[in-house]
Amino acid sequence: MSLINITNIKRDFVLGNEIIHVLKGIDLTINKGEYVALMGPSGSGKSTLMNLLGCLDTPTSGQYILNGKDVSQMSDDNLAEIRNKEIGFVFQTFNLLPRTTALNNVALPMIYAGYSKSERSARAEEVLTQVGLKDRMDHEPNQLSGGQRQRVAVARALVNRPSIILADEPTGNLDSKTSVEIMNLFNEIHANGNTVILVTHEEDIAAYAHRIIRLRDGLVESDKPNK
């Protein structure tokens, strides 16, 4: 069952009087439950593709069907709704609210989704327990280690039960021991049935995924199963 279907996606950016062709016609299908790493050197278009996959941006041309819906030409409001329901983001810099407890950071996406306070607290507690932070729920980010902060960010990504977990260099700010812990957590999340898309430039991090898509100069250079 395909979750993501991308056909001939192009993305141009206008720089002064010049048009930069960043994505030059990408075709891609990602099925439900896959674990995919998106790789490529700087300037290959992987960040642009990630922004399109995450509905943070729309393509110049081409079609993007996400979970049966054509999101390629949606308005910003509709995209925001899709992002909140369908996609859980994990960023390199954690992006947590500083003077807010782990529990409230995790519950945040549920506010936009219209859940009641009791539903938000119960679900946030559930996912924080899932990522191993049951005893850290009342701590603020500055009271947590880098690895714990990233676990909070992962819990927040899971809270609305999204179709896709989209992780952008999730271990970029972590030491190697903590990176392994976080990647083991992604393995668990994938084993629980989530679709995981990982954007990374590190081969050892991409090695955790079951499929590696490499971009070069705005095109898919290779797309191979890993393992």
Side-chain angles (χ1 to χ4, degrees):
M1 164 84 183
S2 73
L3 181 61
I4 287 175
N5 227 313
I6 280 183
T7 314
N8 199 20
I9 284 279
K10 296 181 179 175
R11 184 67 175 97
D12 303 333
F13 292 95
V14 179
L15 204 63
N17 50 13
E18 197 183 349
I19 294 181
I20 315 287
H21 303 289
V22 178
L23 298 179
K24 300 170 183 169
I26 290 201
D27 295 315
L28 197 55
T29 300
I30 294 176
N31 292 325
K32 202 169 168 41
E34 279 202 87
Y35 189 166
V36 179
L38 196 56
M39 296 198 77
S42 192
S44 62
K46 70 176 187 295
S47 299
T48 303
L49 180 57
M50 191 204 78
N51 287 339
L52 291 173
L53 289 172
C55 297
L56 295 163
D57 188 19
T58 48
T60 306
S61 64
Q63 191 178 48
Y64 175 14
I65 306 287
L66 168 60
N67 219 354
K69 300 183 191 84
D70 187 343
V71 295
S72 24
Q73 304 302 325
M74 274 189 182
S75 69
D76 288 351
D77 286 353
N78 290 351
L79 283 176
E81 197 178 326
I82 291 273
R83 273 200 305 276
N84 198 40
K85 277 193 189 141
E86 302 277 0
I87 298 155
F89 293 95
V90 181
F91 298 100
Q92 178 177 349
T93 50
F94 320 136
N95 286 12
L96 300 173
L97 298 177
R99 283 175 292 282
T100 307
T101 63
L103 189 76
N104 288 337
N105 262 296
V106 170
L108 199 60
M110 295 187 77
I111 295 176
Y112 302 119
Y115 290 96
S116 70
K117 193 169 190 326
S118 59
E119 286 174 311
R120 297 198 300 265
S121 292
R123 176 65 182 150
E125 226 167 279
E126 186 186 335
V127 282
L128 278 165
T129 304
Q130 191 184 335
V131 301
L133 290 179
K134 192 178 166 85
D135 55 347
R136 291 279 188 278
M137 294 190 194
D138 298 329
H139 289 56
E140 293 177 4
N142 64 357
Q143 300 169 303
L144 299 170
S145 69
Q148 288 169 334
R149 283 183 220 176
Q150 194 57 298
R151 283 173 186 271
V152 174
V154 171
R156 182 186 54 193
L158 289 168
V159 78
N160 273 345
R161 296 185 172 86
S163 311
I164 300 163
I165 299 292
L166 195 54
D168 185 16
E169 302 282 2
T171 59
N173 280 345
L174 304 172
D175 61 54
S176 50
K177 179 178 174 289
T178 313
S179 295
V180 170
E181 287 170 11
I182 291 295
M183 293 317 298
N184 286 336
L185 180 58
F186 278 112
N187 284 350
E188 283 170 34
I189 288 166
H190 175 252
N192 287 338
N194 282 86
T195 306
V196 179
I197 301 174
L198 188 65
V199 179
T200 182
H201 65 278
E202 296 178 66
E203 294 288 345
D204 57 334
I205 296 299
Y208 285 86
H210 299 184
R211 173 183 171 193
I212 299 180
I213 298 165
R214 294 178 193 272
L215 296 188
R216 186 172 292 275
D217 300 326
L219 292 164
V220 174
E221 180 182 48
S222 68
D223 180 351
K224 296 191 179 108
N226 178 34
K227 308 255 193 299

